[in-house]
């Protein structure tokens, strides 16, 4: 009887130990809620971090949710609906200019160029930007980075958007492609994969890249509130490390390998199309190879905003950008 009790006691202790270890393992996993402004192949390194297990390696469980629009993304972040936002850096400036007591801090850059392309209705073999003069140009929503970059590039090429062409900016982002397909505009500014789909279907022709024309800019970055960064510095470090691993992975792998890795995120998109889009973004250097948002890029962003008349106030790099975490991780 005593042997039975002893054996049973050992069994119970073992179960408690196993359950305790399991509980410890669960508590070590940190859940992070990330809101992405849209779901796009443009954000390939983020999806690589998910599918290749880089977040998991850091003990993070990333819950990805669509926030669809810069204003909605900021609302979700400021109201604690999400912990981290993936959105254009201009939104952090807008929030700061409104007198936020808990400013939004950019801590890891994901894309470093604009992600849109100029698509023409008719095939143009020898394109030059002055061919847009007198045309109808279907642009992006006023105040957003695509629109600001679009106008910046037009002006850079000697075109006054308000005088030299008919600029249409009153169509919702989700309806721009459909508007062009139904006959509105001679030219349109489109994201991938829509631009490539239009080209494949004969609805349009990609003739220029706004990303190539505008240079490096913090187009999409991960940001969080200063309070969250202060209280969860280790979590932000782990998150940034996972993103850096993914950025390096993307840099060292082919467009085909990247497409295969992220294809579960785009089940309705043919893998050949994903590969085409990834190759185009890789070729023009859209994917940042490290998470550092440097001062030159920050200045370029504000120049573009200022040129578009959308810069509410000039903000020094160190006020809304934290590079310490990214620099520390890269040096590991």
């Amino acid at each position: 009887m005593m042997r039975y009790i002893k054996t049973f006691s050992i069994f119970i202790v073992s179960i408690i130990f196993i359950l305790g270890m399991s509980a410890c393992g669960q508590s070590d996993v940190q859940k992070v809620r990330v809101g992405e402004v849209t779901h796009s192949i443009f954000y390939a390194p983020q999806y690589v971090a998910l599918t290749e297990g880089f977040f998991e390696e850091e003990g993070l469980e990333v819950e990805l949710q669509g926030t669809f629009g810069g204003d909605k993304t900021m609302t979700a972040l400021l109201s604690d609906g999400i912990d981290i936002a993936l959105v254009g850096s201009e939104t952090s400036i807008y929030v700061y200019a409104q007198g936020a007591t808990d400013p939004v801090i950019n801590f890891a850059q994901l894309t470093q160029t604009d992600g849109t392309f100029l698509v023409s209705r008719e095939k143009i073999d020898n394109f030059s930007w002055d061919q847009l003069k007198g045309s109808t140009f279907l642009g992006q929503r006023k105040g957003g980075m695509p629109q600001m970059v679009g106008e910046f590039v037009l002006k850079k090429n000697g075109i006054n958007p308000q005088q030299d062409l008919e600029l249409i900016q009153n169509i919702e982002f989700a309806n721009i492609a459909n508007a062009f397909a139904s006959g509105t505009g001679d030219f349109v500014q489109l994201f991938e994969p829509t631009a490539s789909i239009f080209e494949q279907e004969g609805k349009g022709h990609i003739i220029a890249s706004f990303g190539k024309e505008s240079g490096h800019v913090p187009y999409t970055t991960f940001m969080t509130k200063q309070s969250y960064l202060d209280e969860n510095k280790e979590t932000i470090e782990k998150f940034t490390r996972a993103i850096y691993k993914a950025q390096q992975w993307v840099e060292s792998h082919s467009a085909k390998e990247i497409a295969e890795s992220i294809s579960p995120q785009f089940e309705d998109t043919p893998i050949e199309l994903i590969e085409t889009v990834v190759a185009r973004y890789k070729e023009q250097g859209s994917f940042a190879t490290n998470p550092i948002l440097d001062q030159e890029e920050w200045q370029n962003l504000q120049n573009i905003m200022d040129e578009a008349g959308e810069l509410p106030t000039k903000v020094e790099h160190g006020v809304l950008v934290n590079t310490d975490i990214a620099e520390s991780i890269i040096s590991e």
Side-chain angles (χ1 to χ4, degrees), residues 70-269:
D71 52 348
K72 293 182 178 66
T73 303
M74 282 296 100
T75 298
L77 183 65
L78 295 174
S79 64
D80 295 322
I82 55 176
D83 305 310
I84 294 172
L86 176 63
V87 65
S89 288
E90 79 283 356
T91 56
S92 65
I93 296 177
Y94 293 149
V95 170
Y96 178 80
Q98 291 171 3
T101 56
D102 192 1
V104 175
I105 306 300
N106 299 264
F107 66 87
Q109 181 168 308
L110 190 72
T111 62
Q112 60 186 12
T113 75
D114 180 273
T116 60
F117 296 87
L118 179 64
V119 176
S120 65
R121 188 170 300 284
E122 305 298 330
K123 193 174 189 302
I124 301 175
D125 292 324
N126 298 301
F127 170 73
S128 62
W129 285 91
D130 59 8
Q131 290 173 305
L132 270 70
K133 290 183 177 180
S135 71
T136 301
F137 178 70
L138 187 51
Q140 296 282 326
R141 180 184 59 83
K142 187 170 173 56
M145 273 306 292
Q147 173 266 331
M148 289 191 286
V149 168
E151 291 197 18
F152 178 81
V153 170
L154 291 176
K155 291 175 181 178
K156 174 186 170 184
N157 286 280
I159 300 171
N160 185 318
Q162 280 69 44
Q163 297 178 6
D164 295 336
L165 45 72
E166 182 185 350
L167 180 62
I168 300 175
Q169 292 179 314
N170 60 352
I171 298 176
E172 287 292 323
F173 174 80
N175 298 324
I176 291 173
N178 289 336
F180 185 75
S182 64
T184 302
D186 304 306
F187 299 90
V188 63
Q189 182 180 359
L190 291 177
F191 276 96
E192 291 284 26
T194 309
S196 289
I197 291 173
F198 273 28
E199 195 162 62
Q200 288 178 2
E201 296 177 348
K203 295 178 181 177
H205 307 271
I206 298 173
I207 54 175
S209 163
F210 286 97
K212 284 183 178 179
E213 291 285 333
S214 60
H216 280 190
V217 61
Y219 203 80
T220 328
T221 63
F222 290 104
M223 56 188 76
T224 190
K225 292 193 295 185
Q226 182 68 63
S227 58
Y228 184 88
L229 180 58
D230 293 340
E231 296 165 10
N232 301 274
K233 187 178 179 182
E234 186 178 352
T235 299
I236 295 297
E237 288 173 349
K238 290 177 178 180
F239 187 93
T240 305
R241 188 177 294 109
I243 290 297
Y244 181 50
K245 288 178 183 178
Q247 289 172 325
Q248 294 293 289
W249 193 96
V250 167
E251 178 70 6
S252 62
H253 286 70
S254 68
K256 182 178 181 181
E257 290 170 320
I258 298 167
E260 289 171 348
S261 175
I262 70 174
S263 60
Q265 289 283 333
F266 303 93
E267 293 181 347
D268 297 329
T269 306

